[in-house]
């Protein structure tokens, strides 16, 4: 995800596999580098996303997505690092470590 948002033109038109935190809200349907960036709205650390109705993605969780990236379309008011048309989406199960 870091490589994608740091070098969007390098991935333009290519199929990519990335992981991040997914939000699905009006004008804010995006895959974020992490939940904290989503919470404070650092949209340059995210890509605008879209998917056909046949692809189900669980919002408000970390996911791994495969899709085709478009560096030219940057979402509402050009706020995002690009656009990812999702072809496949899987929720990630993150392990938590006990705090000592």
């Amino acid at each position: 995800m870091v490589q994608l948002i740091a070098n969007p033109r390098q991935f333009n038109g290519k199929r990519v596999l990335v992981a991040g935190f997914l939000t699905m809200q009006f004008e804010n349907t995006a895959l974020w580098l992490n939940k904290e960036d989503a919470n404070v709205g650092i949209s340059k650390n995210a890509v605008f996303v879209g998917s056909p109705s046949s692809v189900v993605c669980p919002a408000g969780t970390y996911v791994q997505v495969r899709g085709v990236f478009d560096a030219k379309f940057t979402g509402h008011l050009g706020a995002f690092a690009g656009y990812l048309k999702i072809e496949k989406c899987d929720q990630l199960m993150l392990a938590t470590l006990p705090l000592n």
Side-chain angles (χ1 to χ4, degrees):
M1 184 71 175
V2 171
Q3 292 178 16
L4 187 65
I5 59 179
N7 303 297
R9 284 184 268 151
Q10 180 181 344
F11 297 97
N12 189 49
K14 295 183 180 177
R15 183 168 279 113
V16 297
L17 178 67
V18 293
F21 186 79
L22 182 68
T23 58
M24 297 185 113
Q25 303 161 345
F26 180 70
E27 296 178 351
N28 190 25
T29 300
L31 185 67
W32 302 79
L33 183 60
N34 56 52
K35 183 177 181 179
E36 292 75 21
D37 288 349
N39 287 339
V40 295
I42 303 174
S43 60
K44 290 300 181 185
N45 283 351
V47 294
F48 195 63
V49 297
S51 63
S53 59
S54 61
V55 176
V56 178
C57 289
T61 63
Y62 282 90
V63 295
Q64 177 175 280
V65 298
R66 182 184 70 213
V68 177
F69 185 70
D70 181 349
K72 297 173 193 157
F73 181 59
T74 54
H76 181 69
L77 299 175
F80 297 95
Y83 172 76
L84 183 60
K85 182 176 180 183
I86 297 174
E87 299 171 336
K88 186 174 188 315
C89 181
D90 296 304
Q91 184 174 0
L92 293 176
M93 302 310 256
L94 301 177
T96 57
L97 299 174
L99 298 175
N100 293 332

